[in-house]
Amino acid sequence: MSYVEILGSGAYVPSKILSNKDLEGIVDTSDEWIVTRTGIRERRIAVDEETSDVASVAAKRALENSKVSKEEIDYIIVATLSGETITPSTACMVQSKIGAINATAYDLNGACSGFIYALIQGEALIKASKAKKVLVIGVEILSKFVDWKDRNTCVLFGDGAGAVVLSEGDKGIITTYSKSFGDLGMCLTIGGTPLNNIFMEEPVKALDSSIHMEGGSVFKFATSAMVEAVEKVALDGGITLDDIDIIIPHQANYRIIEYASKKLKMDINKFFINLDKYGNTSSASVPIALNEALEKGIIKTNMNVVMVAFGGGLTVGATLVKF
Ligand code: UT7
């Protein structure tokens, strides 16, 4: 065995559509501002289903498309920062909902880079002969953390899930790259549970649990991190940028992708973009886009595909895959 292959994919988004026009009635914004600054036209919002429900539908679709049974799955790795409980993990809930009784299941928080980080772990488990089949899921219900009074952020995010099944194969993941920049972490925050117990005189003040982002700083990081990551996987994979057929980028902002295409001197049409329909779904954005590109037949056999993501942490990750 020399490679780890993506056998198939699946995705699911909640049915409620929140358009830019709808947002005009919630905050002081306009369809024109959102489209020109981000490219986003609408996003999906979960109203009657939780993180594990959304993830489970994507997972079942990925299993079906991969022709792999739920019992064959050795590991379920869920990339998320928006699970419904801290424990059980979203991955354990998915295991129960889909009946993957033989799996080890756990969550991983790499924010928007989470799906790539999870893919890297899945590949490593198979290469180390610790698993034969790994289900990797990216899922977020970011609407839980959106401050609907903050026009700087509430127009950007959406809910959804994407999943893939990994297995040994004669082609597949050629190389991966990841890096984190913890010193820049406070550019993009969602508060958690701070230190607070009976032995303390004063509990630590909690960060606000809604999304806060220094948009400009993250934009600057995203553009350079994305370009570097694509160049790195091409170099490590022994191909030129011209040999890349399709890039599946994190779907945060059309202008970030446009900047990267110019900097890399790659045709923007090589970048698969669907953020107009879903907004930024964090760790779900790459697998949702990958699934759509596969379903539409845009990704064909023997193509070199790069998936690349960046986000909270701050983090970046990329992989070069031969399909
Ligand atoms: O997945 C995690 C990674 N996250 C990202 O990649 C996000 C990266 N950052 C971005 O995509 C962009 O920085 C944003 C889309 C968040 C913001 O775009 P921008 O072009 O950097 O706008 P800005 O923050 O500089 O704001 C420009 C103006 C401001 O008004 P003034 O101060 O110039 O009068 C904002 O108050 O636009 C205003 N503004 C809005 N106006 C209408 C900010 N949000 C809105 C809005 N509607 N929704």
Side-chain angles (χ1 to χ4, degrees):
M1 192 266 303
S2 42
Y3 293 99
V4 172
E5 183 183 359
I6 294 177
L7 281 184
S9 65
Y12 174 75
V13 289
S15 58
K16 181 179 169 53
I17 296 174
L18 181 70
S19 69
N20 291 350
K21 263 268 148 300
D22 297 331
L23 277 164
E24 287 179 4
I26 298 172
V27 278
D28 179 15
T29 191
S30 65
D31 175 53
E32 200 259 330
W33 190 95
I34 303 171
V35 172
T36 49
R37 295 293 180 119
T38 71
I40 301 166
R41 292 180 185 276
E42 57 188 44
R43 68 287 292 142
R44 301 301 179 100
I45 305 291
V47 283
D48 53 6
E49 49 204 340
E50 257 292 0
T51 312
S52 64
D53 300 315
V54 173
S56 296
V57 181
K60 282 183 188 164
R61 290 178 179 173
L63 287 175
E64 207 176 300
N65 290 335
S66 309
K67 299 187 175 49
V68 166
S69 74
K70 51 195 193 303
E71 292 83 6
E72 284 177 84
I73 296 299
D74 300 309
Y75 278 86
I76 302 173
I77 310 175
V78 174
T80 191
L81 51 73
S82 53
E84 59 249 58
T85 48
I86 291 173
T87 192
S89 65
T90 301
C92 283
M93 289 190 188
V94 170
Q95 174 187 28
S96 168
K97 283 180 181 164
I98 68 172
I101 51 169
N102 297 314
T104 300
Y106 63 93
D107 291 356
L108 169 161
N109 176 354
C112 305
S113 310
F115 177 75
I116 305 288
Y117 285 14
L119 212 58
I120 293 170
Q121 288 203 356
E123 186 208 18
L125 285 164
I126 293 172
K127 279 199 157 164
S129 303
K130 299 284 180 196
K132 286 202 179 310
K133 302 273 187 293
V134 178
L135 177 61
V136 176
I137 305 171
V139 60
E140 302 297 355
I141 307 289
L142 285 180
S143 57
K144 291 177 186 180
F145 303 117
V146 164
D147 175 355
W148 297 103
K149 292 192 188 74
D150 179 12
R151 69 175 183 174
N152 290 293
T153 52
C154 77
V155 303
L156 303 174
F157 300 101
D159 302 337
V164 297
V165 177
L166 303 179
S167 174
E168 355 177 76
D170 8 312
K171 61 182 173 180
I173 296 173
I174 296 170
T175 188
T176 61
Y177 164 76
S178 63
K179 198 169 174 189
S180 304
F181 300 81
D183 288 348
L184 303 176
M186 297 315 277
C187 293
L188 176 46
T189 60
I190 302 174
T193 312
L195 201 59
N196 180 12
N197 61 47
I198 56 163
F199 308 104
M200 299 172 66
E201 281 173 18
E202 289 266 338
V204 173
K205 203 168 171 289
L207 279 177
D208 187 341
S209 63
S210 53
I211 301 170
H212 287 276
M213 182 169 67
E214 292 168 25
S217 309
V218 178
F219 192 101
K220 204 167 146 218
F221 168 80
T223 45
S224 64
M226 192 167 145
V227 168
E228 268 175 49
V230 172
E231 286 173 341
K232 185 95 178 80
V233 290
L235 190 69
D236 289 354
I239 64 167
T240 68
L241 293 177
D242 284 344
D243 296 328
I244 299 172
D245 297 296
I246 309 275
I247 295 198
I248 310 281
H250 173 42
Q251 310 283 317
N253 187 325
Y254 181 81
R255 288 191 294 131
I256 293 174
I257 299 169
E258 193 180 40
Y259 177 94
S261 90
K262 285 196 180 129
K263 202 84 187 141
L264 292 162
K265 296 191 178 59
M266 285 178 70
D267 187 343
I268 187 82
N269 292 317
K270 282 193 171 184
F271 291 74
F272 184 81
I273 301 169
N274 67 359
L275 60 84
D276 52 319
K277 290 183 290 192
Y278 306 118
N280 180 347
T281 57
S282 187
S283 68
S285 95
V286 167
I288 290 174
L290 173 71
N291 180 67
E292 190 175 327
L294 284 166
E295 271 184 351
K296 289 187 165 155
I298 291 165
I299 296 176
K300 298 184 179 69
T301 307
N302 280 326
M303 274 189 167
N304 291 317
V305 177
V306 169
M307 292 181 254
V308 57
F310 51 82
L314 297 179
T315 55
V316 61
T319 179
L320 167 65
V321 184
K322 172 79 89 183
F323 272 82

